[in-house]
Amino acid sequence: MSTQVFDWSTTKLSSDAVRQFACDVRAGLAKPQKELHSKYLYDELGSSLFEAITHLPEYGLTRADEGLLRRHAADIASLLPSPVAVIELGSGVGQKTRHLLQAIREPGLRYYPIDVSADALARCERDLSGIAEVHPLVQSYLDGMARATAERLPAESFLVMFLGSTIGNFERKCAVTFLNDLHRALLPGDMLLIGADLVKERDRMLVAYDDPTGVTGAFNLNLLGRINRELGGDFQLRGFEHQALWNEDQRRIEMHLRSRCNQTAFIAEADLTVAFRAGETIWTESSHKFQLDELDGMAKQTGFQVAGQWVDRDWPFAENLWTVI
Ligand code: AVI
């Protein structure tokens, strides 16, 4: 599955976006291994279901990420250049970033949260404006980065934050391309703080993506519901089941939607009728898991130097601080 920059949650799509969605669905369902891009998991309902996932006892990723940032905020802040301005890619409401912004303790600290959800950014601004000067940017990652870095003050450096192991939702090659893009947008001495989920016991990873409460299943199935709502589809959601697989070769969890029977679905906006065999799947997401030395290798490969790494022991997850060289 080729993964570009994420456009996270959107509520209502413009007609251009509907056309693009229809076009992507058409192309994805024409492939021998049917697939739908994971960015489409995040409409309003999908974003709420993802938020619920982060509270599941089986999904330790978000708690590990936030815990590391809380416990090590002062260490991370002590390694940052000064003066510094902070950019966060896919900030959402910016909840995890609060600890670090507090630890930076620079008067007039500027924080540029970038997200495509205007609602999340409004909450972010409301919650964090007592700690930093918040400059929300409703844009894609790279466009938002260009806007923020255009406001660089003399002698100022940037810290870019990319948390939550969102890098794991990129194909490995695309992750490297994306890190190269970030490097190009920055200057020597700028820093990147990147959160990455680590390989752990297979069963622990699997249950994190196939929880017994069924929240991840609902999150996955909602993609078909979204196609029905926004593209005039007639998918029978009960005709599909959620499936999470560990792909050992690629070191990733894959989410699929598995057809329970032979069936067809019609999607009006895509002018498409698509047939499914019983057992056939639609691949909807990959969550790559990393090894610590692999992360260091990615830093070197893309023009960064490792400045620090913090690992959660209970839920193997790494916070990585890299410097642009
Ligand atoms: C957003 N992303 C890092 C999550 C992950 O773990 O890959 C999305 C998710 N999909 C299922 N559960 C969570």
Side-chain angles (χ1 to χ4, degrees):
M1 193 181 295
S2 65
T3 307
Q4 303 298 327
V5 173
F6 285 86
D7 281 329
W8 285 130
S9 63
T10 48
T11 45
K12 257 221 166 334
L13 295 180
S14 68
S15 54
D16 277 357
V18 168
R19 261 194 299 278
Q20 186 62 54
F21 185 17
C23 181
D24 289 348
V25 166
R26 221 186 136 75
L29 295 182
K31 294 190 175 176
Q33 165 62 70
K34 294 180 171 63
E35 63 182 42
L36 293 168
H37 196 297
S38 62
K39 71 182 176 188
Y40 294 118
L41 290 164
Y42 298 89
D43 66 344
E44 201 173 341
L45 178 54
S47 298
S48 301
L49 289 166
F50 175 64
E51 162 69 16
I53 287 173
T54 67
H55 298 285
L56 289 169
E58 295 83 7
Y59 189 80
L61 191 157
T62 310
R63 278 184 297 280
D65 194 17
E66 187 163 3
L68 286 167
L69 290 170
R70 185 170 20 82
R71 293 195 298 281
H72 300 289
D75 307 341
I76 298 170
S78 73
L79 294 167
L80 299 180
S82 176
V84 72
V86 179
I87 297 173
E88 183 172 3
L89 310 179
S91 62
V93 299
Q95 194 192 329
K96 288 182 277 192
T97 310
R98 162 181 293 273
H99 312 291
L100 188 57
L101 294 180
Q102 275 166 334
I104 293 178
R105 292 174 183 277
E106 266 189 25
L109 174 66
R110 294 190 331 284
Y111 168 52
Y112 296 89
I114 301 173
D115 206 284
V116 292
S117 168
D119 288 351
L121 288 177
R123 261 184 68 193
C124 178
E125 187 169 16
R126 195 193 60 203
D127 294 352
L128 299 181
S129 59
I131 306 173
E133 241 181 55
V134 183
H135 297 265
L137 295 169
V138 186
Q139 282 186 308
S140 70
Y141 296 161
L142 293 175
D143 290 347
M145 285 264 299
R147 277 279 298 279
T149 53
E151 294 184 14
R152 187 191 291 268
L153 300 177
E156 186 178 57
S157 300
F158 274 95
L159 167 69
V160 177
M161 305 179 70
F162 194 32
L163 304 177
S165 202
T166 300
I167 192 72
N169 295 129
F170 290 66
E171 290 300 306
R172 281 197 158 79
K173 269 197 196 143
C174 296
V176 168
T177 305
F178 183 63
L179 291 171
N180 276 321
D181 290 343
L182 291 185
H183 184 270
R184 253 194 304 279
L186 294 170
L187 293 180
D190 288 338
M191 297 188 99
L192 176 64
L193 183 66
I194 183 162
D197 202 23
L198 302 177
V199 175
K200 48 188 74 61
E201 301 88 327
R202 184 175 173 275
D203 289 353
R204 251 183 123 190
M205 291 189 287
L206 277 171
V207 75
Y209 291 84
D210 192 8
D211 57 287
T213 319
V215 183
T216 311
F219 172 67
N220 198 6
L221 280 163
N222 176 56
L223 183 39
L224 300 183
R226 181 177 186 181
I227 293 174
N228 287 351
R229 291 188 294 275
E230 295 181 18
L231 300 182
D234 69 356
F235 279 103
Q236 298 297 314
L237 269 60
R238 290 188 200 282
F240 290 84
E241 64 188 354
H242 167 67
Q243 199 178 38
L245 309 170
W246 171 243
N247 182 327
E248 178 72 40
D249 286 347
Q250 301 294 328
R251 277 172 288 117
R252 67 185 178 213
I253 292 283
E254 294 174 6
M255 290 205 317
H256 291 254
L257 288 164
R258 184 172 182 278
S259 180
R260 294 180 190 270
C261 54
N262 293 327
Q263 57 182 319
T264 57
F266 175 65
I267 304 164
E269 289 285 345
D271 193 18
L272 178 72
T273 300
V274 55
F276 297 90
R277 283 174 279 103
E280 186 177 3
T281 73
I282 312 172
W283 181 13
T284 52
E285 187 190 61
S286 295
S287 289
H288 294 82
K289 305 299 170 190
F290 300 91
Q291 313 276 14
L292 287 176
D293 56 351
E294 174 188 11
L295 291 165
D296 293 350
M298 281 164 73
K300 283 188 199 104
Q301 191 187 350
T302 55
F304 294 89
Q305 184 172 17
V306 177
Q309 188 174 65
W310 297 266
V311 178
D312 190 277
R313 304 243 162 272
D314 296 334
W315 182 275
F317 183 98
E319 221 66 80
N320 304 274
L321 184 63
W322 299 347
T323 311
V324 176
I325 46 175

